[in-house]
Amino acid sequence: MSPQPALPSWVTWCQRPFPDANLLLLNGRQPALVDSGFVGHAEDTADWARAHAGPVDLVVNTHWHSDHVGGNALFQARGAAIAAGAPEAEAIARRDPGCCAAEYLDQPVAPYTVDLALDDGQILRLGDADWEVIRTPGHTPGHLALWQPDD
């Protein structure tokens, strides 16, 4: 097996114990966090992000499960915008039952709003790089991936 390539200097990764989501912090002029983890770790996540990048401007959620969105309300209260795939943004706005899937993990999700609904092919400036939104429905209807072709 070949060794893992090193991450660019403007990317900080945090591995969390299963079943919590791992975190990706994109440093730069527009600090962004990909997923915010469980609510039980929200303060730790916010402290970690602040220590590595300063205030986070944007949290991008790959999908709406509680292990990925639990810290959203805290980050939003501290001034970050929340971005998510368009189908999930619409469901969250309607407060559809099943959004955030917190029950089976016993990790409640405080109410938050999606400030930026993301569509396939959209380009986002995260940190100091442009990222392409790629819709990858299946795990959830609005699941998405982010692709940064340069690095």
Side-chain angles (χ1 to χ4, degrees), residues 15-64:
Q15 184 174 3
R16 285 285 173 77
F18 182 81
D20 201 352
N22 295 323
L23 307 172
L24 192 66
L25 182 63
L26 307 169
N27 306 301
R29 286 173 291 214
Q30 297 175 355
L33 179 65
V34 179
D35 292 327
S36 63
F38 278 141
V39 68
H41 300 145
E43 286 289 345
D44 290 341
T45 299
D47 291 345
W48 169 81
R50 192 177 320 105
H52 286 89
V56 170
D57 292 336
L58 180 66
V59 175
V60 180
N61 293 137
T62 57
H63 65 288
W64 66 18

Side-chain angles (χ1 to χ4, degrees), residues 3-15 23-27 48 131 148 151:
Q4 285 286 103
L7 292 173
S9 62
W10 45 268
V11 174
T12 306
W13 181 65
C14 177
Q15 184 174 3
L23 307 172
L24 192 66
L25 182 63
L26 307 169
N27 306 301
W48 169 81
W131 293 73
Q148 206 291 315
D151 288 309

Side-chain angles (χ1 to χ4, degrees), residues 13-128:
W13 181 65
C14 177
Q15 184 174 3
R16 285 285 173 77
F18 182 81
D20 201 352
N22 295 323
L23 307 172
L24 192 66
L25 182 63
L26 307 169
N27 306 301
R29 286 173 291 214
Q30 297 175 355
L33 179 65
V34 179
D35 292 327
S36 63
F38 278 141
V39 68
H41 300 145
E43 286 289 345
D44 290 341
T45 299
D47 291 345
W48 169 81
R50 192 177 320 105
H52 286 89
V56 170
D57 292 336
L58 180 66
V59 175
V60 180
N61 293 137
T62 57
H63 65 288
W64 66 18
H65 288 159
S66 65
D67 54 324
H68 293 260
V69 304
N72 283 6
L74 176 70
F75 278 94
Q76 198 161 48
R78 294 181 179 178
I82 306 296
E88 294 184 5
E90 294 164 12
I92 290 165
R94 291 190 308 265
R95 302 286 189 239
D96 282 1
C99 286
C100 306
E103 297 79 20
Y104 76 96
L105 295 171
D106 194 28
Q107 288 286 327
V109 175
Y112 66 94
T113 57
V114 175
D115 302 295
L116 179 60
L118 303 174
D119 290 311
D120 194 50
Q122 186 172 346
I123 304 297
L124 287 177
R125 185 67 155 182
L126 304 174
D128 286 332

